[in-house]
Amino acid sequence: MITIVADAQRTAGGHWPVPEERRTVTVLFADIVGSTALVDRLDPEDVRALQRAYFDTVAGVLHRWHGVVEKYVGDAVMALFGARHSDGFDAYRAVRAGLEIQAALDRRPMVGGIGLRVRVGVATGEVVVDLGSAVSGGHGVASGAVITTAARLQEYAPPGAVALCAATARATAGLIAQRQLAPVPVAGRVPPGPVWHAVGPVRPSADRHDGPLIGRRRELATARDELTRAVREHNPRWVSLVGPTGSGRSRLLHELTRSLTTVDGEAVRWCVATCQPYPDQVLAPVADLLRRLAGIRHGDGPAMVRDRLTATLTPLLPPGRLAAAVSALERLLATPDGSAAALAGAAVCRDALLRLAARRPLIVAVDDLDRAAPAVSRFLHALFTAARARALPLAVVTLHQPHWVDTHPGPTRRVAVRPLATVQSGRLLRLLLTRAGQPVALVDRLLPLVGGRPGHAAAYVRSVVDGADPAALPLPDEVRRAVGAEVDRLDGEGRAVLMAAGALGGLVTDAAVDRGLGWTPGRSGPALRALVAAGLLIPRRAGYAFATPALRRVAAERLPRALRAVFAHRSADGAPLDAIHPDAVERTSAPDRPAAVSVDVPAPRTDATASAAHRADAPGSNVRRADVARPVTAAAEVVPLDAARSRTRHLDTVAAIPAVARPAASTHQAGPRRRLGAPAAAPPTRIGASTPVRRLRAAASAGDVPPARPATLAPARTGRPAAPTPPAGDRGPGVDPQPAPVRAVPAAPGSSGLRPTPRRGGLTVVRGAPGPARAVPRPPVLGPLDGLATSA
């Protein structure tokens, strides 16, 4: 009997501000063989009883494997795996469910002794999912070609078999034994597609760790010190190696077992077990610890198992207890299912480990403990507590992901397995590429994609070896599954904030996320901080950055096209930024400050704009050309001020703006308003404008500062004073000023500081001493997005 541990987060409902997502799901389609002939020869009451027994059996299996029944079509059943939550093993769970459906129908007696034979097809692909309807019985939950593929695949499965598509076969390789068939024609598709038949679950092979360890010196030293102290002081300790999938936790454990073999000249014994995804038996990791202790291999016969158990326990137990202990351990190895007999065997195994630790130092390690049932944690807790009571030289090492939380009955050291540094990631990529026979020059292409995770680096190198185009590398399937599982651990609101941040790209702020989602200002702040605590975002001075490039890509691609367009539109229509040098508001004097620079970026002229410009040029007109707003038809691109010059080679327009000599005398206004003057002379400064369809704006490369009161503009180059910007309250409700040219104002020598000088619909860029710039946003008036929640 297979026991599946339910995840409360996976089954609980929640609020979903983004109602639909593009997701990679696995679809299972099951159909009865010869159902038409069977129904024709049965009485309608017998048909109904047969259907009830069939549907109850199939639905029960699907529910235990966390599948969602999307619909019943006659005698066919279609189910989705990963429709609302994914753990990275959706395809594995679907195939296991298909195999179990076949076995369950073979065991269950039907009406009149009829034996039902079923064909099952399993396909994996991208769909659009209605999250609110992703519950059993919800029709029209998912839409995509993969649904049709699953229905076609079951036609190529023999009665009692499970057919797999190529994507499902790749996702379950190493976990499910498969047999590939010749390509078969699928309706509407050319050429014919390959098909695999699932044979049954297999035990994954151990990972190879034959290369040198790159980085991890601090983590390795910390863990070694804790384990050495536990052995030397006879003070048991619990060490947790914590990191996301692909961070290299297992590699670090392998290095510990290889390097920590003696303490003070005394040999250390290691017992290591790995928790497989959805094990057949809840105590399977405990049985693996016993096999490692006794040197038993999978596939050893009963006689070999008994001999090895007897040899292991003879020095540890008195002769009168030996026979009973061996029998109990044999039952544990045969069926570690959590029954009373299995629990009795686990107790004997625990006693044997304690007795072994009394004779020589012992370290018990369990990898991927977050996959195990609670019974495994209880076993480790009892072992650790008993070792502390007896002051034994024993330590427990557990490996799990950051989201998994467990209480420990004693001293615990949590060792975070963090991303590799850039230099270390480059060394790892060079090593992997060299061993794979690929050009080392690909390091420059792959380095920005791996995000410091060794698992991601290995996945990208494998994709290159498999023939992926290095110029446009797709996200490897294993990386997408692992990162998607990280996203799906969030609640609906957290996922919405993460996806909105992914769609915005670059550094994001809470104001930008609120604007994209149509939320009230400040609502996304707690969610962003929670994402930082979860290790998904990294706080920066000017906003938040994604922990890995793959995470940003997965989050952005989850959004349907319509929502991406809305977010992009709202981001483009955001308020202008008044850029201030970060030191401008603190310094009291800056005699060597270089001249400030501004540039008029050409914008497309419309008939209305041209007419206004003509009136401005007319004699006697009171309309000034500087006050004519020019509309922009494309989104404004936000770039860092310091990076503007480096992009001039990509820009279509380069303007040379000579500074205008101004009188040196420049007075400051009383109070917060200040007048910005210019030095007597300044060398010409060049700054590039962006492409004709974009408008260059200042980037927020530092933290936001409170908006300053509008200051009086310095005299323009024509010698005429510029009109001050009216206060925000004087503007009409809902009016978003049109963008105007960016004006240059020179900085006065000896001025005590600089203030932003906003113009109606425009932008003033103030350049002072070298350093980043601060940006003050003026949020536009936006309406809520249809389909998105506007309040908590």
Side-chain angles (χ1 to χ4, degrees):
M1 181 66 178
I2 301 174
T3 302
I4 301 175
V5 181
D7 186 348
Q9 190 179 26
R10 295 168 49 84
T11 57
H15 178 60
W16 301 96
V18 177
E20 293 182 343
E21 288 185 15
R22 297 175 66 101
R23 301 178 60 87
T24 299
V25 303
T26 300
V27 182
L28 181 146
F29 198 94
D31 195 12
I32 298 177
V33 178
S35 59
T36 302
L38 183 63
V39 170
D40 287 343
R41 66 185 179 86
L42 291 178
D43 183 81
E45 293 183 11
D46 295 335
V47 172
R48 186 166 185 81
L50 184 66
Q51 286 180 334
R52 283 180 175 175
Y54 164 67
F55 287 133
D56 289 347
T57 301
V58 173
V61 173
L62 294 174
H63 177 72
R64 290 198 315 104
W65 287 99
H66 302 305
V68 173
V69 178
E70 205 266 357
K71 67 181 63 173
Y72 297 96
V73 185
D75 50 66
V77 181
M78 192 188 85
L80 304 175
F81 292 81
R84 190 167 182 172
H85 292 282
S86 174
D87 59 357
F89 296 98
D90 303 322
Y92 176 71
R93 289 186 288 112
V95 176
R96 290 296 303 270
L99 294 170
E100 189 174 326
I101 285 172
Q102 304 288 16
L105 290 175
D106 290 340
R107 293 191 304 264
R108 180 162 184 171
M110 296 295 174
V111 177
I114 297 174
L116 290 182
R117 305 297 290 169
V118 178
R119 293 188 178 99
V120 177
V122 182
T124 301
E126 189 179 34
V127 297
V128 175
V129 179
D130 182 354
L131 296 176
S133 302
V135 294
S136 292
H139 295 275
V141 171
S143 302
V146 66
I147 297 174
T148 304
T149 302
R152 295 288 182 266
L153 277 174
Q154 63 88 18
E155 299 175 359
Y156 296 99
V162 179
L164 314 177
C165 72
T168 306
R170 289 194 301 269
T172 58
L175 298 172
I176 299 291
Q178 305 164 359
R179 183 174 66 255
Q180 185 174 1
L181 306 180
V184 297
V186 178
R189 296 192 179 183
V190 177
V195 176
W196 284 259
H197 283 173
V199 177
V202 295
R203 181 173 182 81
S205 58
D207 295 333
R208 293 180 55 190
H209 301 296
D210 51 357
L213 180 68
I214 296 178
R216 306 297 186 215
R217 292 183 179 179
R218 179 177 300 176
E219 295 92 336
L220 183 61
T222 301
R224 282 175 54 92
D225 290 345
E226 292 292 329
L227 298 177
T228 301
R229 289 179 59 189
V231 171
R232 180 177 294 142
E233 300 172 4
H234 286 223
N235 183 18
R237 293 179 179 272
W238 192 305
V239 179
S240 295
L241 305 181
V242 183
T245 302
S247 60
R249 299 171 314 199
S250 300
R251 181 67 178 87
L252 186 59
L253 176 61
H254 172 78
E255 193 66 21
L256 282 172
T257 60
R258 190 188 65 82
S259 60
L260 186 58
T261 57
T262 60
V263 173
D264 297 336
E266 192 172 6
V268 175
R269 180 72 177 269
W270 282 84
C271 286
V272 182
T274 300
C275 301
Q276 304 301 331
Y278 298 98
D280 291 348
Q281 313 291 347
V282 295
L283 290 176
V286 178
D288 287 343
L289 285 175
L290 177 59
R291 290 188 180 92
R292 185 69 177 263
L293 176 65
I296 300 172
R297 294 173 296 182
H298 288 276
D300 286 344
M304 179 65 71
V305 170
R306 175 173 285 272
D307 291 343
R308 292 189 180 274
L309 288 175
T310 302
T312 302
L313 296 181
T314 297
L316 304 177
L317 296 176
R321 295 182 52 189
L322 185 60
V326 170
S327 298
L329 294 180
E330 285 179 322
R331 289 192 296 269
L332 173 64
L333 294 176
T335 55
D337 56 359
S339 61
L343 291 175
V348 175
C349 178
R350 181 172 60 249
D351 184 56
L353 291 172
L354 293 171
R355 290 175 179 270
L356 178 62
R359 300 169 63 91
R360 58 184 294 189
L362 176 66
I363 301 177
V364 177
V366 179
D367 197 357
D368 292 320
L369 184 59
D370 48 306
R371 299 178 183 175
V376 179
S377 292
R378 290 194 293 268
F379 173 86
L380 294 176
H381 287 188
L383 175 69
F384 187 74
T385 302
R388 281 183 55 79
R390 303 181 190 182
L392 298 177
L394 181 143
V396 174
V397 180
T398 57
L399 289 75
H400 57 82
Q401 300 194 52
H403 73 276
W404 190 78
V405 179
D406 190 16
T407 57
H408 303 100
T412 305
R413 182 60 184 267
R414 184 184 177 100
V415 180
V417 185
R418 304 187 185 280
L420 294 174
T422 303
V423 175
Q424 296 167 346
S425 297
R427 290 175 53 198
L428 177 62
L429 283 170
R430 283 191 291 273
L431 173 65
L432 295 174
L433 289 169
T434 301
R435 295 177 63 177
Q438 300 296 319
V440 180
L442 290 176
V443 170
D444 295 338
R445 177 73 182 89
L446 299 179
L447 188 58
L449 304 177
V450 301
R453 292 196 188 181
H456 291 193
Y460 273 107
V461 171
R462 282 194 298 268
S463 67
V464 172
V465 173
D466 292 340
D469 183 8
L473 281 173
L475 194 64
D477 290 342
E478 54 266 48
V479 175
R480 184 181 299 277
R481 290 193 297 269
V483 174
E486 295 179 31
V487 176
D488 285 343
R489 294 189 191 105
L490 305 171
D491 59 10
E493 191 158 301
R495 277 160 63 172
V497 169
L498 192 69
M499 289 187 290
L504 295 174
L507 289 178
V508 296
T509 62
D510 52 356
V513 174
D514 289 332
R515 188 165 59 241
L517 289 171
W519 287 355
T520 56
R523 177 178 170 184
S524 65
L528 287 168
R529 291 189 289 273
L531 293 174
V532 171
L536 302 180
L537 294 182
I538 301 174
R540 300 296 190 197
R541 190 176 181 185
Y544 299 91
F546 277 85
T548 62
L551 179 61
R552 189 206 64 80
R553 184 169 177 178
V554 168
E557 292 177 354
R558 285 281 187 91
L559 288 170
R561 292 196 307 267
L563 288 181
R564 284 186 231 171
V566 170
F567 288 167
H569 175 72
R570 288 187 168 180
S571 176
D573 288 346
L577 300 178
D578 296 327
I580 312 171
H581 192 279
D583 298 329
V585 294
E586 288 92 1
R587 286 199 300 264
T588 57
S589 62
D592 299 329
R593 188 192 311 272
V597 178
S598 71
V599 66
D600 288 344
V601 183
R605 294 172 61 92
T606 62
D607 294 340
T609 306
S611 177
H614 177 73
R615 292 197 305 272
D617 293 335
S621 173
N622 58 357
V623 178
R624 292 177 298 142
R625 177 175 293 273
D627 294 334
V628 177
R630 288 181 278 183
V632 178
T633 59
E637 181 181 7
V638 181
V639 297
L641 294 176
D642 294 337
R645 291 189 181 91
S646 65
R647 294 182 51 182
T648 53
R649 62 180 182 275
H650 302 293
L651 306 177
D652 298 320
T653 306
V654 178
I657 311 298
V660 181
R662 307 297 306 163
S666 177
T667 60
H668 298 291
Q669 293 185 356
R673 297 173 178 268
R674 290 172 183 166
R675 187 177 184 85
L676 305 179
T685 307
R686 303 178 70 89
I687 184 170
S690 63
T691 56
V693 297
R694 291 183 180 270
R695 179 167 58 87
L696 191 64
R697 288 169 46 193
S701 57
D704 290 347
V705 297
R709 294 170 55 88
T712 303
L713 294 176
R717 287 191 292 268
T718 59
R720 295 177 299 179
T725 302
D730 295 342
R731 300 175 185 172
V735 175
D736 190 9
Q738 293 292 334
V742 181
R743 280 294 171 202
V745 289
S751 61
S752 60
L754 296 178
R755 289 279 187 176
T757 312
R759 303 188 52 155
R760 175 176 289 276
L763 172 69
T764 299
V765 180
V766 181
R767 288 289 296 171
R774 289 189 180 179
V776 181
R778 293 188 299 222
V781 178
L782 293 174
L785 175 64
D786 292 339
L788 300 187
T790 57
S791 61

